[in-house]
């Protein structure tokens, strides 16, 4: 699997500049360090993203059932294909058309990471 930054190049960002700035400012208000910022982003995505929905990971159709935060503070989605389940970094998820409600939160998070604000 490629690095998250390489994979981000393929993800169309569909959040307006105004909405993006609002989301980043809201995250920053509640966070005092990088760990807290990731937790805030996770909380926003988990609350607003309508699951389940169909998506693609490495060209394979999957159903996204849940958003999770790992012990090493990585935002992932629990994907299912048949009886198999796998945790996939949210940065590697290609969202479908039509886009699920709340997917602008993923777009904003991806943009935030790509901007170099993380790490």
């Amino acid at each position: 699997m490629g690095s998250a930054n390489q994979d981000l190049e393929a993800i169309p960002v569909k959040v307006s500049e105004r909405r993006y700035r609002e989301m980043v400012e809201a995250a920053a208000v509640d966070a005092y360090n990088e760990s807290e910022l990731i937790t805030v982003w996770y909380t926003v995505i988990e609350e607003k993203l309508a699951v389940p929905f169909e998506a693609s990971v490495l060209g394979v159709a999957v159903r996204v059932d849940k958003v999770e935060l790992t012990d090493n503070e990585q935002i992932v989605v629990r994907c299912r294909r048949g009886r198999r389940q796998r945790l996939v970094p949210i940065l590697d998820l290609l969202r479908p058309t039509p886009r699920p409600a709340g997917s602008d939160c993923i777009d904003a998070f991806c943009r935030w990471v790509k901007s170099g604000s993380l790490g």
Side-chain angles (χ1 to χ4, degrees):
M1 186 180 291
S3 74
N5 286 338
Q6 288 174 329
D7 295 339
L8 285 175
E9 297 302 325
I11 299 173
V13 177
K14 302 209 179 216
V15 62
S16 72
E17 182 66 25
R18 179 177 174 213
R19 176 77 173 125
Y20 170 71
R21 287 185 186 279
E22 288 171 355
M23 293 173 86
V24 169
E25 288 172 11
V29 165
D30 293 334
Y32 297 100
N33 58 43
E34 187 176 291
S35 176
E36 289 181 6
L37 277 168
I38 293 296
T39 301
V40 170
W41 277 110
Y42 160 74
T43 302
V44 169
I45 293 168
E46 196 271 334
E47 287 177 355
K48 298 196 181 285
L49 186 63
V51 292
F53 63 91
E54 302 298 317
S56 177
V57 176
L58 297 174
V60 177
V62 297
R63 186 181 78 205
V64 175
D65 288 331
K66 186 176 182 181
V67 179
E68 298 182 22
L69 184 63
T70 66
D71 291 340
N72 65 344
E73 299 177 334
Q74 184 177 25
I75 301 174
V76 297
V77 288
R78 182 170 299 278
C79 296
R80 177 184 302 270
R81 180 173 171 94
R83 294 175 53 179
R84 292 185 168 175
Q85 293 185 55
R86 177 163 297 192
L87 295 177
V88 176
I90 203 162
L91 299 174
D92 294 341
L93 183 68
L94 296 178
R95 274 126 8 246
T97 302
R99 298 163 57 78
S103 64
D104 62 330
C105 297
I106 298 174
D107 295 341
F109 176 70
C110 290
R111 183 173 172 182
W112 180 74
V113 170
K114 188 175 179 181
S115 76
S117 298
L118 178 61

